[in-house]
Amino acid sequence: MSEGCLVAECMNVLIQHTVELLTVSSWTSADIGSIEVEQILADFSGWSQGCKNVHYDLVFILDASSSVGKEDFEKVRQWVSNLVETFEIGPDKTRVGVVRYSDHPTTEFDLGKYKTREEIKEAARKIRYYGGNTNTGDALRYINTYSFSKEAGGRLSDPTVKKVAILLTDGRSQDYVLDPATAAHQAGIRIFAVGVGEALKEELDEIASEPKSAHVFHVSDYNAIDKIRGKLRRRLCESK
C-alpha cells in the first residue's frame, strides 16, 4: 500500500485478506482454527511495506476475443478498476496502462495518459470490447516493443520503477507465446498470467515470470476473477 494510505483503506484490505484466508476451499476446519491473528498482521505488514516502497509501470493485457463475451468483459472492466485501488497513482508513483487484444493488440490507454486513480478507474470502466481471435503472442510482442516505451509513458531511465504486466485470458492462443514472452522477461518485464476457464496451464507457464507458482493464477470462470484479487496484489507487492 502507499505511504498515503488511509487507515480505513488499509483496514479494509486487511479484512479482505483475512476473509480470503478463512475461505480457501482446500483448508479444513482444523486449519482455520489454527490461524493466528499475529500471522495475518505480519503478512499484511510485509505486503503493505512492499507496496509502499515500490512504484510500478503497470500494464494490463486483456483478452477481448469472442470467447469472452460482452457480459463477462464487463466483469473484466470492474476487476481492473478494483485492482487499481491497490496503488498510489501519480506521474511519479505508479502509472497504469491497458492493452486489449483479439486479432490484434490495441492500446486502450497508455501509461502516461491518466494521472489519478479515479481517472484510471473511470477509463477502465469504458474499455472497449470487439471480439475476434486470441492472438496472445502478438499482444506480448506489442507490450514489449511499445507499451513500456518512453513514447507510451514508460520510465525506462528510472531503475526504481518496476515494469509489470498482468495478462488475463480465457483460452488457447492462436499464435505462439513462448518467444515473445521470453523476450519480455529478458527486457525486465515481470509478467503475471491469469487464466480463466479453458485457458491452458502450459501456456500460462510459458507466459509468466519465474517462479511460476507466484506468477500463474487460474480460476473457473469470470465470476471468480475478483476472488484472486487480494492474492494477486500481495504477490505483485512482494519483491521478486
Side-chain angles (χ1 to χ4, degrees):
M1 301 296 291
S2 68
E3 288 178 328
C5 173
L6 298 175
V7 172
E9 182 180 352
C10 289
M11 288 306 299
N12 284 339
V13 175
L14 174 57
I15 290 167
Q16 179 187 359
H17 177 30
T18 306
V19 169
E20 286 167 351
L21 287 173
L22 294 173
T23 56
V24 175
S25 60
S26 62
W27 287 12
T28 67
S29 58
D31 293 324
I32 293 171
S34 67
I35 295 171
E36 298 292 341
V37 172
E38 290 83 356
Q39 183 59 51
I40 294 172
L41 291 171
D43 289 345
F44 177 74
S45 175
W47 168 37
S48 63
Q49 189 70 19
C51 281
K52 180 168 65 176
N53 293 333
V54 182
H55 296 309
Y56 303 92
D57 280 347
L58 172 62
V59 175
F60 289 90
I61 313 168
L62 306 177
D63 183 347
S65 62
S66 297
S67 60
V68 179
K70 291 182 179 180
E71 182 178 345
D72 281 334
F73 198 75
E74 178 57 36
K75 297 166 188 171
V76 173
R77 295 185 184 103
Q78 187 59 51
W79 181 72
V80 172
S81 179
N82 290 343
L83 272 171
V84 168
E85 285 284 355
T86 308
F87 303 97
E88 189 177 15
I89 302 296
D92 299 320
K93 298 171 185 175
T94 290
R95 300 182 183 182
V96 176
V98 171
V99 170
R100 55 180 165 79
Y101 73 94
S102 50
D103 296 312
H104 305 286
T106 304
T107 296
E108 190 68 26
F109 54 87
D110 281 329
L111 285 168
K113 184 167 186 179
Y114 297 115
K115 313 302 183 192
T116 70
R117 183 185 296 154
E118 287 308 314
E119 286 179 327
I120 295 171
K121 291 179 67 177
E122 180 64 23
R125 289 190 283 266
K126 297 177 180 177
I127 298 170
R128 290 163 288 181
Y129 171 74
Y130 288 115
N133 294 312
T134 309
N135 290 324
T136 307
D138 264 357
L140 291 165
R141 195 172 293 108
Y142 180 81
I143 64 107
N144 190 27
T145 57
Y146 173 73
S147 298
F148 292 93
S149 68
K150 184 177 180 180
E151 179 185 0
R155 292 166 287 181
L156 300 178
S157 62
D158 188 343
T160 67
V161 175
K162 306 302 182 183
K163 295 186 289 185
V164 175
I166 300 175
L167 183 141
L168 178 69
T169 184
D170 75 344
R172 179 194 295 267
S173 179
Q174 291 166 278
D175 60 359
Y176 293 108
V177 302
L178 180 58
D179 287 349
T182 300
H185 299 157
Q186 292 172 345
I189 302 171
R190 185 182 179 192
I191 303 178
F192 290 84
V194 181
V196 180
E198 297 182 1
L200 298 179
K201 183 183 184 304
E202 295 82 359
E203 200 166 81
L204 298 175
D205 284 344
E206 290 181 346
I207 294 168
S209 296
E210 295 285 353
K212 305 302 181 183
S213 59
H215 292 87
V216 174
F217 297 82
H218 189 274
V219 295
S220 57
D221 55 42
Y222 282 99
N223 291 321
I225 57 173
D226 215 44
K227 295 179 182 178
I228 63 166
R229 177 162 45 103
K231 188 174 183 180
L232 176 57
R233 290 189 301 190
R234 290 192 298 279
R235 292 278 176 81
L236 195 154
C237 291
E238 293 168 356
S239 298
K240 185 177 177 183

